[in-house]
Amino acid sequence: MEYDEKLAHFRQTRLNPFDRGEEEDQPEGGKATQQHEASAELFSETKTHSSDRTMDLGLAEDHFSRPVGSFVASDIEQLKLAIEECKKLILELPEHSERQKDTVVKLIHLRLKLQELKDPEEDEPNLRVILEHRFSKEKSKSVKQTCDKCSTIIWGLIQTWYTCTGCYYRCHSKCMNQITKPCVRSKVSHQSEYELSICPEIGLDRQDYRCAECRTPISLRGVPSEARQCDYTGQYYCSTCHWNDTAIIPARVIHNWEFEPRKVCRSSMRYLTLMMPRPVLKMKEINPLLFNFVEELVEIRKLRHDILLMKPYFITCKEAMEARLLLQLQDRQHFVENDDMYSLQDLIDISTGRLSCSLTEIHTTFAKHIKLDCERCQAKGFVCELCKEGDVLFPFDSHTSVCHECSAVFHR
């Protein structure tokens, strides 16, 4: 009888070295002795080979391996208990000791195993198409991202995640089947225009007190979820669809020349980012009075008009084509096509002064080629047909006027 009791006690200690449930009835000396024996048994100091070290950590036998088919909830619970016991043991062991280091390694393996059970890694395709999103499987393991669907952190080391190549929507592999929002790039391709009303709010009651995107119940009191307004659409969203991102609102720029970033929802943030370089704002029609109050706009309009007058010289000049002078404006291709269309990025750069500096430099380079460097372009100059005097005139000179019917150039 006594032998059976000892054998049962030995098996319990051997199979669950972290179980200290029976320590409550033992004296302090007995507790310390049992804890020491359990720790010594778990973390053997034999280090003859790397495989022996694995055996010492209890990793050679995968006690928490996933059974054939589906796993049961008890596996996860056992892992959580073992992790908590590992944490306590790390604090109790001497700092920087070998046993403490071994316990940390054990803790890492237990956490990885727990995550594997929660989010099992499967063979995922490299490319998936969902609601016009073209998701590409990411290979980065170190960069920490946030899932746009569930708003939790993506742990690239142990989780599979995807990024849409069109709108840069990021999400876990397990969240992809829950996506309900189409790709924003398709909207940009089919409907390239801004909302030009400043914060067109319709009210929470018109939204039935639900998020405008996912239809989650929301309220201004934060119960059950906080209602956050998007300054671009004027609608209200839940905290999952609205992360308090900020962006410059086109309507405020056009009507008030205001560039202060405002809070917008995630979908509006992606839409505004993709629309930023697109020249879709015709300022003469939307708000022509803005040119009377913003001197920088008038300066840019004059420089763009001159560049359009220089363009015929470069198209017919062999040297200019070989030098590819017009490629200096390849980032703003619309500048060599018209002088009245602007992108939101153009207006931002005008307000900061960056566009004026770069465009003035390009204008100077173009004029120098036509008037000084190239004989062919110089030969295409004009002589004032009224006074027949003065230097050779060019249509982009500041002191000239051009006939709109015959394109003749005169002194102003």
Side-chain angles (χ1 to χ4, degrees):
M1 187 67 181
E2 183 179 355
Y3 172 78
D4 293 337
E5 291 177 356
K6 289 183 178 180
L7 179 61
H9 176 69
F10 173 78
R11 286 177 174 174
Q12 182 179 1
T13 307
R14 175 60 177 157
L15 293 177
N16 191 4
F18 294 110
D19 188 5
R20 298 185 295 176
E22 296 182 0
E23 292 180 3
E24 301 296 331
D25 300 328
Q26 297 181 6
E28 291 296 323
K31 291 183 180 180
T33 303
Q34 183 176 351
Q35 179 181 343
H36 177 74
E37 291 176 355
S39 302
E41 185 176 1
L42 178 64
F43 305 110
S44 174
E45 295 182 358
T46 304
K47 302 178 182 178
T48 56
H49 195 269
S50 60
S51 62
D52 295 337
R53 182 182 181 87
T54 307
M55 291 286 290
D56 294 338
L57 294 175
L59 299 175
E61 299 180 17
D62 194 354
H63 300 290
F64 302 103
S65 62
R66 192 173 166 193
V68 178
S70 61
F71 62 89
V72 293
S74 61
D75 294 336
I76 295 180
E77 295 301 323
Q78 290 176 12
L79 279 171
K80 289 181 178 179
L81 290 175
I83 288 173
E84 291 302 319
E85 294 296 339
C86 266
K87 290 180 182 178
K88 295 177 183 178
L89 193 56
I90 289 173
L91 297 177
E92 294 171 359
L93 290 172
E95 194 169 355
H96 304 301
S97 64
E98 289 298 323
R99 292 179 181 177
Q100 189 186 52
K101 293 178 182 177
D102 291 342
T103 313
V104 171
V105 174
K106 175 68 174 178
L107 178 62
I108 293 173
H109 282 275
L110 288 174
R111 282 180 166 172
L112 289 174
K113 197 66 181 177
L114 177 63
Q115 185 61 45
E116 183 180 344
L117 288 180
K118 287 185 174 180
D119 185 24
E121 183 177 358
E122 301 175 356
D123 293 333
E124 300 283 354
N126 291 327
L127 185 64
R128 297 177 64 177
V129 180
I130 300 176
L131 295 177
E132 300 188 20
H133 291 280
R134 293 185 61 84
F135 285 106
S136 175
K137 187 176 180 180
E138 291 291 345
K139 299 179 180 180
S140 175
K141 301 296 184 182
S142 58
V143 180
K144 187 168 66 174
Q145 302 288 352
T146 303
C147 178
D148 281 305
K149 180 58 184 177
C150 64
S151 302
T152 59
I153 295 176
I154 299 174
W155 299 99
L157 183 64
I158 54 180
Q159 291 179 320
T160 305
W161 60 292
Y162 288 80
T163 300
C164 176
T165 56
C167 64
Y168 308 107
Y169 188 99
R170 301 182 183 91
C171 72
H172 295 103
S173 173
K174 62 182 180 180
C175 297
M176 296 187 67
N177 293 330
Q178 304 173 19
I179 296 175
T180 58
K181 191 72 175 179
C183 182
V184 176
R185 184 170 288 278
S186 62
K187 180 181 178 182
V188 172
S189 302
H190 302 142
Q191 183 184 2
S192 295
E193 58 183 20
Y194 287 115
E195 171 60 59
L196 297 180
S197 299
I198 297 178
C199 194
E201 181 181 2
I202 61 175
L204 262 178
D205 56 337
R206 294 283 297 277
Q207 293 184 208
D208 196 23
Y209 294 91
R210 293 181 178 273
C211 173
E213 184 170 329
C214 68
R215 308 305 297 168
T216 300
I218 55 177
S219 70
L220 294 177
R221 296 181 178 179
V223 180
S225 180
E226 177 188 4
R228 299 178 178 178
Q229 187 180 32
C230 173
D231 196 81
Y232 176 70
T233 63
Q235 296 178 312
Y236 290 88
Y237 298 82
C238 64
S239 57
T240 302
C241 301
H242 194 314
W243 295 3
N244 286 330
D245 296 313
T246 58
I248 296 175
I249 310 300
R252 295 185 181 275
V253 173
I254 294 172
H255 297 296
N256 299 340
W257 200 242
E258 177 189 337
F259 294 88
E260 180 182 355
R262 303 283 179 142
K263 293 181 179 181
V264 295
C265 65
R266 293 294 293 172
S267 58
S268 295
M269 181 70 178
R270 285 190 288 269
Y271 181 76
L272 292 174
T273 301
L274 293 175
M275 285 287 291
M276 186 82 71
R278 289 180 172 258
V280 296
L281 299 172
K282 197 167 186 177
M283 300 299 295
K284 290 181 180 179
E285 296 182 359
I286 300 174
N287 187 11
L289 295 178
L290 194 61
F291 289 91
N292 297 336
F293 298 95
V294 183
E295 296 181 0
E296 294 86 350
L297 272 176
V298 179
E299 178 185 0
I300 295 299
R301 182 175 60 181
K302 177 63 170 64
L303 291 173
R304 291 184 62 177
H305 181 69
D306 289 349
I307 288 174
L308 287 179
L309 294 175
M310 296 177 185
K311 181 180 177 181
Y313 288 86
F314 296 143
I315 293 177
T316 57
C317 176
K318 182 179 179 181
E319 294 181 7
M321 296 297 290
E322 291 177 352
R324 299 189 175 185
L325 293 178
L326 288 177
L327 286 182
Q328 295 186 33
L329 289 170
Q330 60 180 346
D331 294 335
R332 305 181 195 268
Q333 190 65 32
H334 52 286
F335 279 15
V336 295
E337 297 173 354
N338 56 72
D339 62 350
D340 56 353
M341 300 298 293
Y342 293 82
S343 67
L344 183 59
Q345 187 63 57
D346 293 338
L347 301 180
I348 294 174
D349 291 342
I350 290 174
S351 68
T352 59
R354 290 176 51 193
L355 183 58
S356 177
C357 294
S358 61
L359 202 58
T360 300
E361 183 177 349
I362 293 174
H363 182 279
T364 302
T365 303
F366 287 0
K368 181 174 178 292
H369 171 85
I370 296 174
K371 301 175 70 173
L372 298 176
D373 297 341
C374 180
E375 294 183 357
R376 290 189 180 91
C377 293
Q378 292 179 31
K380 297 173 184 175
F382 294 83
V383 175
C384 179
E385 298 183 9
L386 297 180
C387 65
K388 310 290 185 181
E389 297 178 357
D391 299 331
V392 177
L393 303 180
F394 293 91
F396 51 84
D397 287 335
S398 58
H399 59 283
T400 60
S401 292
V402 181
C403 178
H404 296 292
E405 295 184 2
C406 66
S407 298
V409 180
F410 307 91
H411 286 112
R412 185 178 296 276

